[in-house]
Amino acid sequence: MNQTSSTNFDAIVLGAGSIGTPTAYYLAKCGLKVLVLESVPSVGQGSNKRAIGGIRATHSDPAKIALCLRSIEIFSTFKEEFGDDIEWDRCGYAFVAYREKEEQTLKNLLKTQKTFGLNINWLDAATFREVIPDINPDGLLGGTFSPDDGSASPLLTNHAYYTHAEELGVEFHFFEPARSMQVENGKIVSLTTDRNTYTAGIVVNCAGAWASEVGKLAGVDLPVRPDSHEAAITEPVARFLGPMVVDIRPAPGSTNYYFYQHITGQIIFCITPAPNAWGFDTRETSSFLPMVSQRMIEVMPRLKNIRVRRTWRGLYPMTPDGFPIFGWAPGISNFLLGVGLCGQGFMLGPAGGELLARLAMNNLTEQDMTTLKYVSPERSFEGQELLK
Amino acid sequence: MPDFRIKKHPILAIPQRKSIEFTWQGNTYTANEGETIASALFANGIHVFGHHPKDHSPLGIFCANGQCSQCMVIANGSPVKSCMELVQDGMTVLPNDGLPVLPEVEEVPEFKPIHEMDIPVLIIGGGPAGLSAAIELGKAGIRTLLVDDKHRLGGKLVLQTHRFFGSTDAVYAGTRGIDIATRLEKDLSQFPSVEVWLQSTCLGVFSDKKVGILREGGQYTLVRPEVLLVASGAREKFLAFKGNTLPGVYGAGAFQTLVNRDLVRPAEKLFIIGGGNVGLIAGYHALQAGIGVVGLVEAMSECGGYKVHKDKLARMGVPIYTSHTILSANGNEKVESVTIAEVDSQFTPIPGTEKSFECDSVLIAVGLDPVNEFYLKAVDFGLRVYSAGDAEEIAEASAAIFSGKIKGREIARVLGSPVEDIPASWYKTGEILKSKPGRTYYEQLPDLAEGVLPIIHCSQEIPCNPCAGLCPNGLIIVDRKDIRSVPAFIGNNFCCAACERCVAGCPGLAITLVDYSSNPERPTVSIPYEFTRDVISANDIVTVLDTQGTKLGELEVVDVHTIPSSDRTLVVQVVADASIATHIAGIQIQEANITHPMLQYVKHVTDDTIICRCEHVTAGEIRQLIRKGYRDINEIKTVTRAGMGACGAKTCSPLIQRLFKEEGVPYNEVTGPSRRPPFVEVPLGAFAGEKPEEH
């Protein structure tokens, strides 16, 4: 928070959330002079703190798989690398199947996932119960299990990146959103807030649910709009549940739901609303708890006695095809995008931040070239993510 | 087996209750049917209910009100708040040491659809404000639902054994709080349009304008009111000092709950922090229950509560240390002593003034905060909402009764009911009842020593007028237009009939009667007395004190009697020298030796000033962050977990705000914490429509 009077930076990052904060850190690590502008009062107070903390590499496309494998490397060695306890837990992910439809979906996906070398397997019902002893065995067909996936605290991770970014000289200005950008000859030449006008070599849009609004400041249309998901956390109890449990059966009100026991002993759970709850409304609804609690208790009756502590809603910045957007904005040569993370900003954040830094420094790897094809801002957005 | 139950009480009847058995850590104990687990444990001398998972420090009760979640125990395998859960015959109770184990469940329970209902008016809270509002709405015939989380209506009124202050006309002043509760409850029962749900906890107000209520401890119900009235009262403020989470440190309201509702004796010797009305009255309640009060500290140079409450305590033999603060509560598993010190004008303790006292309990009575989370959410979500009583503004219960009445009438009008206009005088009375104590005058003592005279030891402007209605000859007056004025006796020395109604009826026990008629040199003094009759009788020698608690002498009791209007207040008569007769204001109740300081003060070296009780976060940790520049309480929460615990940041938020103030940060620079429902922790099964099993 050491605010200098300088208004000229190598890079200005818009947003101090799941993507913006690690990006600022990695840019500074490359030696850049970085300013982060954020509208909320402190780091991670937009959607980051509303994330439930799940981290998996077991996606269905090479880009997210590559990014998340790298993220998991960072999360799992965070303590050694940075010294901070971010509550990382290699708890694994378990997608459960009670119907042939989901069994088929998961098994089909498994083939793709295997080809990318992911550590994920189909477990029959008996083996699945060994991994999750409290799962309801009635009608259980089994499920996939990926033991290398995990969870961590979004709050602590983002805050750790923030602390280390500040150590590298990054300036964070809170309560100071960008209000306008001055574009000349396809380049952002300056950026104005309520307090100041800044100049920077590059501007990075990491504004999450607000990415589309930020894009418009530079005249760039971004197909990102927020979908409001509701979540909750319980009291802590002694550990009884290993992996994140995901049930992809749709039901009235939700397309799927998932829950896990955080390393603190608390159960954290969330749904994907059906239909989507488009917009910025994050006020708590009365329908969420009754809906999700029945579904969870059906799959794990033991959960009926755990007491709910807090509920909240958070925004998933969705793209039409469910894939994130990383790359240079079309038509603006110095406007970098790390947006549309579709609710996976936390797990994609560390690797995404590194990728954005490599884009900024123009030292992309071969793997990056492959990744960027899938997440390019200039793609058609017509595909569909198989496992959101 | 030790038995810490109250067997006799000057005001409260001791009901005969069925005895049942439960086990604690494998040993069998006796409980009364219908009492909470916490009270059953206290009745058996058990004060440590578990140990914190973070630092293994001992845990005990703090709020006794279902708010703070400090008193968790494992009852029949499930973690429960022992202050809210009733003990059952054969119940197995275990301490909550570390993280509880979630019981295994084989079967998917049966779910019922969540009941939803529409209602014109929903009132949260059946205390003085909620009850009074409900009565007004009942009079107007408006369908109203009143929910309260306790087992009976009345809120904190049911804890009040003393006669109420306030206006006789407006709010039953002169009647004891417990009796006001019963009267309001009875009044309400006449109105069929009002439905009451007891043991029903409001969990939250949601953006779809529905209010979530856990009905009768189990059935989750969503209520959609046209108008919501939040009359949810107040919660006690916590205080930062070393050893502040030791079992034995608890809120004054918690103490009153244990003593006056549950009739258990949680302490033998207690020390009170805070000289507001709550602390002063709690001290009086302790003495009535036979519990010693070692002392009371107040950081300001004067007690904030009514002078008559302070005087009453002082002349019963309780030392009141103004300009003093608590430094620490000391002990290993529970409170063994307290250390206090004098403070300077900046409220900084002055080195060299430390004193320690032996005690087993420390009552925190440093003020109340409104329970306003439902109100704030309702405002956010555009629900038509009102608040009344302490939920709106902290004041006396008499003010809450009146504000509830006004709000009830206002809501009836808003809903188009043809009720009468609200007289302007109601609002004025409402304001008067809420007012803080005003000027204090010098006590005017009569100099003519003949005839019969009531002596009014009430010299501070407070909203109170029952004495004006007590004199059959109308000789005591309080300004009718503003009952805050001090009362005056307008007769001469020969017109008082010596009926003693003023003596027995003054809520502050601040009127004595001096009768010179038989012997002008040695008049008879009648003194009000609210302790059990069997501890005082004729021929006893008692120490009499003036209003400040200064000893005037030792005198023989000549008579102890009641008068027809006494309502449990005794009148004790002594014969005194004329020189001191008018100065006598009370009788010392407790022996002085209980109040003596220890020879050496107890130094408390551990840095265990806890701000967040749930997550055991210290003041030091939070101060360090404030000094680093943190200005968002949510960021402090991220880093320390302060506010992430079971109570939902209800206890620590005001303390964190105070730390900012102490660190010189203006509060407009600080971002407050997010507040999220449910505001009370509830099992997931309840939201699924499962009827919970009986324990």
mmCIF file of all heavy atoms in Angstrom, chain B residues 100-120:
data_model
loop_
_atom_site.group_PDB
_atom_site.id
_atom_site.type_symbol
_atom_site.label_atom_id
_atom_site.label_comp_id
_atom_site.label_asym_id
_atom_site.label_seq_id
_atom_site.Cartn_x
_atom_site.Cartn_y
_atom_site.Cartn_z
ATOM 1 N N PRO B 100 -15.723 -32.097 16.862
ATOM 2 C CA PRO B 100 -16.657 -33.201 17.116
ATOM 3 C C PRO B 100 -16.681 -34.192 15.949
ATOM 4 O O PRO B 100 -16.395 -33.827 14.810
ATOM 5 C CB PRO B 100 -18.009 -32.491 17.251
ATOM 6 C CG PRO B 100 -17.868 -31.216 16.522
ATOM 7 C CD PRO B 100 -16.413 -30.826 16.619
ATOM 8 N N VAL B 101 -17.018 -35.429 16.276
ATOM 9 C CA VAL B 101 -17.161 -36.450 15.229
ATOM 10 C C VAL B 101 -18.618 -36.458 14.788
ATOM 11 O O VAL B 101 -19.529 -36.551 15.620
ATOM 12 C CB VAL B 101 -16.750 -37.843 15.766
ATOM 13 C CG1 VAL B 101 -17.031 -38.914 14.723
ATOM 14 C CG2 VAL B 101 -15.275 -37.837 16.152
ATOM 15 N N LEU B 102 -18.823 -36.309 13.508
ATOM 16 C CA LEU B 102 -20.184 -36.316 12.975
ATOM 17 C C LEU B 102 -20.746 -37.730 13.098
ATOM 18 O O LEU B 102 -20.111 -38.690 12.652
ATOM 19 C CB LEU B 102 -20.128 -35.882 11.516
ATOM 20 C CG LEU B 102 -21.397 -35.364 10.861
ATOM 21 C CD1 LEU B 102 -21.912 -34.113 11.570
ATOM 22 C CD2 LEU B 102 -21.119 -35.060 9.399
ATOM 23 N N PRO B 103 -21.932 -37.881 13.707
ATOM 24 C CA PRO B 103 -22.459 -39.247 13.870
ATOM 25 C C PRO B 103 -22.711 -39.921 12.524
ATOM 26 O O PRO B 103 -23.087 -39.259 11.554
ATOM 27 C CB PRO B 103 -23.771 -39.035 14.629
ATOM 28 C CG PRO B 103 -24.037 -37.595 14.664
ATOM 29 C CD PRO B 103 -22.805 -36.862 14.280
ATOM 30 N N GLU B 104 -22.493 -41.230 12.509
ATOM 31 C CA GLU B 104 -22.736 -41.971 11.262
ATOM 32 C C GLU B 104 -24.228 -42.157 11.064
ATOM 33 O O GLU B 104 -24.970 -42.317 12.021
ATOM 34 C CB GLU B 104 -22.031 -43.327 11.307
ATOM 35 C CG GLU B 104 -20.535 -43.178 11.128
ATOM 36 C CD GLU B 104 -19.809 -44.504 11.112
ATOM 37 O OE1 GLU B 104 -20.426 -45.502 10.708
ATOM 38 O OE2 GLU B 104 -18.638 -44.512 11.523
ATOM 39 N N VAL B 105 -24.665 -42.104 9.823
ATOM 40 C CA VAL B 105 -26.091 -42.249 9.503
ATOM 41 C C VAL B 105 -26.200 -43.237 8.351
ATOM 42 O O VAL B 105 -25.508 -43.094 7.345
ATOM 43 C CB VAL B 105 -26.694 -40.880 9.095
ATOM 44 C CG1 VAL B 105 -28.138 -41.041 8.659
ATOM 45 C CG2 VAL B 105 -26.588 -39.878 10.238
ATOM 46 N N GLU B 106 -27.040 -44.249 8.506
ATOM 47 C CA GLU B 106 -27.155 -45.276 7.470
ATOM 48 C C GLU B 106 -28.222 -44.932 6.440
ATOM 49 O O GLU B 106 -28.027 -45.087 5.242
ATOM 50 C CB GLU B 106 -27.504 -46.641 8.117
ATOM 51 C CG GLU B 106 -26.442 -47.172 9.064
ATOM 52 C CD GLU B 106 -25.138 -47.533 8.362
ATOM 53 O OE1 GLU B 106 -25.199 -47.944 7.187
ATOM 54 O OE2 GLU B 106 -24.064 -47.372 8.973
ATOM 55 N N GLU B 107 -29.360 -44.471 6.949
ATOM 56 C CA GLU B 107 -30.536 -44.316 6.089
ATOM 57 C C GLU B 107 -30.683 -42.878 5.612
ATOM 58 O O GLU B 107 -30.452 -41.944 6.363
ATOM 59 C CB GLU B 107 -31.798 -44.671 6.878
ATOM 60 C CG GLU B 107 -31.920 -46.125 7.265
ATOM 61 C CD GLU B 107 -32.348 -46.985 6.091
ATOM 62 O OE1 GLU B 107 -33.416 -46.705 5.510
ATOM 63 O OE2 GLU B 107 -31.583 -47.925 5.750
ATOM 64 N N VAL B 108 -31.155 -42.737 4.380
ATOM 65 C CA VAL B 108 -31.551 -41.407 3.933
ATOM 66 C C VAL B 108 -32.859 -41.073 4.647
ATOM 67 O O VAL B 108 -33.809 -41.852 4.592
ATOM 68 C CB VAL B 108 -31.761 -41.384 2.403
ATOM 69 C CG1 VAL B 108 -32.272 -40.018 1.957
ATOM 70 C CG2 VAL B 108 -30.469 -41.732 1.686
ATOM 71 N N PRO B 109 -32.915 -39.962 5.368
ATOM 72 C CA PRO B 109 -34.153 -39.652 6.090
ATOM 73 C C PRO B 109 -35.276 -39.276 5.129
ATOM 74 O O PRO B 109 -35.028 -38.991 3.952
ATOM 75 C CB PRO B 109 -33.760 -38.451 6.947
ATOM 76 C CG PRO B 109 -32.622 -37.823 6.226
ATOM 77 C CD PRO B 109 -31.904 -38.920 5.499
ATOM 78 N N GLU B 110 -36.463 -39.259 5.678
ATOM 79 C CA GLU B 110 -37.607 -38.843 4.866
ATOM 80 C C GLU B 110 -37.621 -37.315 4.822
ATOM 81 O O GLU B 110 -37.466 -36.663 5.848
ATOM 82 C CB GLU B 110 -38.869 -39.353 5.550
ATOM 83 C CG GLU B 110 -40.030 -39.530 4.603
ATOM 84 C CD GLU B 110 -41.283 -39.871 5.373
ATOM 85 O OE1 GLU B 110 -41.247 -40.845 6.169
ATOM 86 O OE2 GLU B 110 -42.280 -39.148 5.190
ATOM 87 N N PHE B 111 -37.804 -36.778 3.630
ATOM 88 C CA PHE B 111 -37.872 -35.315 3.510
ATOM 89 C C PHE B 111 -39.316 -34.888 3.335
ATOM 90 O O PHE B 111 -40.074 -35.536 2.622
ATOM 91 C CB PHE B 111 -37.083 -34.832 2.283
ATOM 92 C CG PHE B 111 -35.645 -35.226 2.296
ATOM 93 C CD1 PHE B 111 -35.086 -35.867 1.199
ATOM 94 C CD2 PHE B 111 -34.838 -34.954 3.386
ATOM 95 C CE1 PHE B 111 -33.747 -36.234 1.188
ATOM 96 C CE2 PHE B 111 -33.501 -35.309 3.383
ATOM 97 C CZ PHE B 111 -32.959 -35.955 2.279
ATOM 98 N N LYS B 112 -39.660 -33.793 3.958
ATOM 99 C CA LYS B 112 -40.973 -33.208 3.703
ATOM 100 C C LYS B 112 -40.740 -31.892 2.983
ATOM 101 O O LYS B 112 -39.713 -31.252 3.191
ATOM 102 C CB LYS B 112 -41.686 -32.937 5.034
ATOM 103 C CG LYS B 112 -42.054 -34.206 5.753
ATOM 104 C CD LYS B 112 -42.841 -33.898 7.010
ATOM 105 C CE LYS B 112 -43.039 -35.175 7.790
ATOM 106 N NZ LYS B 112 -42.575 -35.104 9.151
ATOM 107 N N PRO B 113 -41.686 -31.480 2.166
ATOM 108 C CA PRO B 113 -41.481 -30.186 1.506
ATOM 109 C C PRO B 113 -41.406 -29.080 2.564
ATOM 110 O O PRO B 113 -42.054 -29.168 3.608
ATOM 111 C CB PRO B 113 -42.723 -30.016 0.629
ATOM 112 C CG PRO B 113 -43.611 -31.167 0.899
ATOM 113 C CD PRO B 113 -42.951 -32.115 1.834
ATOM 114 N N ILE B 114 -40.597 -28.079 2.272
ATOM 115 C CA ILE B 114 -40.464 -26.965 3.210
ATOM 116 C C ILE B 114 -41.769 -26.179 3.209
ATOM 117 O O ILE B 114 -42.250 -25.752 2.173
ATOM 118 C CB ILE B 114 -39.276 -26.059 2.790
ATOM 119 C CG1 ILE B 114 -37.967 -26.839 2.779
ATOM 120 C CG2 ILE B 114 -39.184 -24.828 3.692
ATOM 121 C CD1 ILE B 114 -37.558 -27.436 4.095
ATOM 122 N N HIS B 115 -42.312 -26.026 4.392
ATOM 123 C CA HIS B 115 -43.584 -25.316 4.517
ATOM 124 C C HIS B 115 -43.375 -23.824 4.238
ATOM 125 O O HIS B 115 -42.438 -23.217 4.747
ATOM 126 C CB HIS B 115 -44.130 -25.530 5.927
ATOM 127 C CG HIS B 115 -45.439 -24.857 6.169
ATOM 128 N ND1 HIS B 115 -46.558 -25.146 5.428
ATOM 129 C CD2 HIS B 115 -45.799 -23.897 7.045
ATOM 130 C CE1 HIS B 115 -47.564 -24.392 5.854
ATOM 131 N NE2 HIS B 115 -47.128 -23.614 6.832
ATOM 132 N N GLU B 116 -44.252 -23.270 3.427
ATOM 133 C CA GLU B 116 -44.189 -21.826 3.172
ATOM 134 C C GLU B 116 -45.519 -21.203 3.541
ATOM 135 O O GLU B 116 -46.560 -21.817 3.354
ATOM 136 C CB GLU B 116 -43.888 -21.543 1.699
ATOM 137 C CG GLU B 116 -42.531 -22.071 1.266
ATOM 138 C CD GLU B 116 -41.945 -21.318 0.074
ATOM 139 O OE1 GLU B 116 -42.388 -20.194 -0.208
ATOM 140 O OE2 GLU B 116 -41.034 -21.887 -0.556
ATOM 141 N N MET B 117 -45.485 -20.011 4.104
ATOM 142 C CA MET B 117 -46.741 -19.347 4.449
ATOM 143 C C MET B 117 -46.651 -17.836 4.277
ATOM 144 O O MET B 117 -45.590 -17.237 4.385
ATOM 145 C CB MET B 117 -47.158 -19.684 5.888
ATOM 146 C CG MET B 117 -46.226 -19.160 6.953
ATOM 147 S SD MET B 117 -46.763 -19.638 8.617
ATOM 148 C CE MET B 117 -47.994 -18.381 8.945
ATOM 149 N N ASP B 118 -47.796 -17.247 3.977
ATOM 150 C CA ASP B 118 -47.907 -15.786 3.893
ATOM 151 C C ASP B 118 -48.587 -15.287 5.149
ATOM 152 O O ASP B 118 -49.465 -15.955 5.692
ATOM 153 C CB ASP B 118 -48.765 -15.395 2.682
ATOM 154 C CG ASP B 118 -48.055 -15.723 1.379
ATOM 155 O OD1 ASP B 118 -46.912 -15.264 1.216
ATOM 156 O OD2 ASP B 118 -48.633 -16.450 0.548
ATOM 157 N N ILE B 119 -48.171 -14.121 5.601
ATOM 158 C CA ILE B 119 -48.786 -13.557 6.812
ATOM 159 C C ILE B 119 -48.698 -12.034 6.712
ATOM 160 O O ILE B 119 -47.698 -11.517 6.213
ATOM 161 C CB ILE B 119 -48.063 -14.099 8.085
ATOM 162 C CG1 ILE B 119 -48.821 -13.776 9.373
ATOM 163 C CG2 ILE B 119 -46.651 -13.571 8.204
ATOM 164 C CD1 ILE B 119 -49.778 -14.853 9.799
ATOM 165 N N PRO B 120 -49.717 -11.309 7.154
ATOM 166 C CA PRO B 120 -49.599 -9.841 7.099
ATOM 167 C C PRO B 120 -48.425 -9.319 7.925
ATOM 168 O O PRO B 120 -47.649 -8.494 7.454
ATOM 169 C CB PRO B 120 -50.941 -9.357 7.659
ATOM 170 C CG PRO B 120 -51.890 -10.482 7.366
ATOM 171 C CD PRO B 120 -51.079 -11.742 7.510
#
